[in-house]
Amino acid sequence: MARHSFIRMSKLPNVKGRIDYISSPDRQENLYATYQTADMEFWKNLAFESQQEFRRFGTEGKCIEARELIIALPEVYTTYDPQQVLKEFTEVFHKRYGVECVSALHHNKRKTNYHIHLIFSERTLLPEPDIKIASRSVFYDETGKRVRTKKELSGEDGKIRPGCTVIKKGEIYEQHMFTPKDERFKDKGFLHNLKEIYTDLINRHISDPAQQLRVFDPNGVYLATKKIGKNNPKAAEIEADNAARQEWNRTADMALLSGIAEETIIELKNEEIHNKAADSVTKHGWLPELFRKIVRTAKELLQGMIREKAMPPKPVLNMDIAEFRKMQKLMIKVQDKAKHIRQMQDTELPRLKAQLADVKGIFKGKERKALEQEIQKLEQTIREELDALPTILEEDGYPDVQAFTATYRKAEKIVSQYNRDLAEWERSMQEKKRPTEKPPEKQSVREQLRRLQEEGRKKPRNRNRDYER
């Protein structure tokens, strides 16, 4: 089962301490390799200048000295040389962005998560230090902020307050070893582009296409689930959030099999989930239960569209195109499965709930309990059968419902065009007119179908969540 790549970026207010933490054998139980493009003197000077600039501008919050990436690797990478892996991943970043890096390759304590920590600077060294000489005395208060006069630094006794600084005329009052921060790293598209780069690099060393990773497409029909970190105090909340997202994803699979266009599902997702969730956050702040309610409401709207959308059987082509016939059989199989699920959702489950509503009275507790258990069992069956839908397609090489239905629709168009071209040619022959073109070749249609199938099967699964920690 294909998974999504996991790459997370964070800001570092204490780069020297973080470097020591990720690269120290005494602090890391499963440390396999370390790598650096600059020595500790570089990071020491970087931290000093960053803090100096932070104080000078009087910025609120914490001073960000550098940034860190965590890159999760598939377990197959444990069979490769750790030092070579770490060097390759670090040098890709170093050469592309031209900034210094320090990295380490770890396992977590349970050895379930093989990952790289990559710390990088947002600044580069200047060719020559930029030194500013005071043309007159320069004054700084306790916070490092420059003030105009010496009087502003003096206490009631007329003496300079502790912590204040006076730079005399002719002395160095400011010097820079580094450039300003590179704005590329603050761009919204930076992390997404980096995920594309590293996902391609990861997949380059995975020979089995089914095991390759992909970057989650937020513009597709599915909702991404969230990673639950170790000892996360909000684990229960995230788990409930993920359950709502998974229900939407299962319903999206049913919609695709019902013949509802991807564009229609995406439009509903954007309008009913993304837009309404954004409005809710603006008005009320982040309320997890309200978000789940928004997702459930959108799911019910999509289920309504499924009920309204008939799933007529596709006409069988009387042609010797084995590849397409196989795809037709597979489509019929999953559509039949989807019909069975809809029967349980739309008929059996409402019937049981109606029976439960009618069972009243203090002496009918056992009957109510039996119905409740039957409803829970049926709901569990529905969930399991929804989750099994993609598995049917995976057996034939397709990673998920979206990839298969997209491939099938393209194949339909090719075969339909083939039928139209062949009918036109036969009509020309019957009218004893010389056809302007040769009849379409079945072999060319087969080649197109095979190419489409290969493309569809190579698409990694598009709705699994990020690596678990």
Side-chain angles (χ1 to χ4, degrees), residues 59-95:
T59 309
E60 294 182 357
K62 294 182 179 180
C63 172
I64 306 306
E65 300 175 354
R67 292 179 182 247
E68 177 183 13
L69 297 170
I70 296 179
I71 307 165
L73 299 175
E75 282 302 303
V76 67
Y77 269 74
T78 59
T79 62
Y80 305 146
D81 180 67
Q83 196 63 49
Q84 289 183 5
V85 169
L86 188 60
K87 180 179 178 180
E88 181 178 18
F89 276 74
T90 307
E91 285 297 335
V92 162
F93 192 95
H94 176 53
K95 292 176 181 178

Side-chain angles (χ1 to χ4, degrees), residues 176-324:
H176 297 282
M177 297 177 62
F178 297 88
T179 62
K181 289 185 177 181
D182 192 328
E183 294 297 321
R184 289 180 297 175
F185 304 128
K186 298 179 183 179
D187 188 89
K188 290 183 179 180
F190 166 70
L191 187 58
H192 180 78
N193 291 336
L194 193 64
K195 286 180 179 180
E196 295 281 358
I197 292 166
Y198 274 128
T199 302
D200 288 343
L201 179 58
I202 290 170
N203 289 340
R204 207 178 299 165
H205 300 289
I206 301 176
S207 57
D208 183 2
Q211 297 300 316
Q212 291 185 343
L213 309 182
R214 71 161 297 166
V215 178
F216 181 81
D217 180 11
N219 298 316
V221 301
Y222 301 120
L223 289 174
T225 52
K226 299 178 182 178
K227 179 182 70 69
I228 303 176
K230 182 181 178 182
N231 299 326
N232 191 326
K234 295 185 178 180
E237 178 184 306
I238 296 173
E239 189 174 348
D241 182 85
N242 284 343
R245 291 167 181 262
Q246 287 165 348
E247 286 297 323
W248 164 268
N249 292 340
R250 295 180 185 119
T251 307
D253 282 345
M254 291 288 287
L256 289 166
L257 292 172
S258 301
I260 298 174
E262 285 185 30
E263 295 77 11
T264 302
I265 302 171
I266 292 168
E267 183 180 358
L268 177 66
K269 180 183 120 177
N270 289 337
E271 290 181 359
E272 298 296 329
I273 298 178
H274 290 328
N275 293 349
K276 290 189 176 180
D279 290 342
S280 172
V281 171
T282 301
K283 294 176 182 176
H284 312 291
W286 174 248
L287 300 174
E289 183 53 44
L290 185 54
F291 173 75
R292 292 194 284 272
K293 184 178 179 181
I294 289 171
V295 174
R296 287 193 293 267
T297 301
K299 182 198 75 171
E300 290 165 3
L301 289 172
L302 187 56
Q303 286 177 328
M305 293 173 65
I306 294 170
R307 285 191 288 269
E308 293 174 3
K309 177 77 175 178
M311 293 197 300
K314 297 292 182 181
V316 178
L317 291 172
N318 295 318
M319 296 177 60
D320 186 20
I321 302 179
E323 290 88 351
F324 188 68

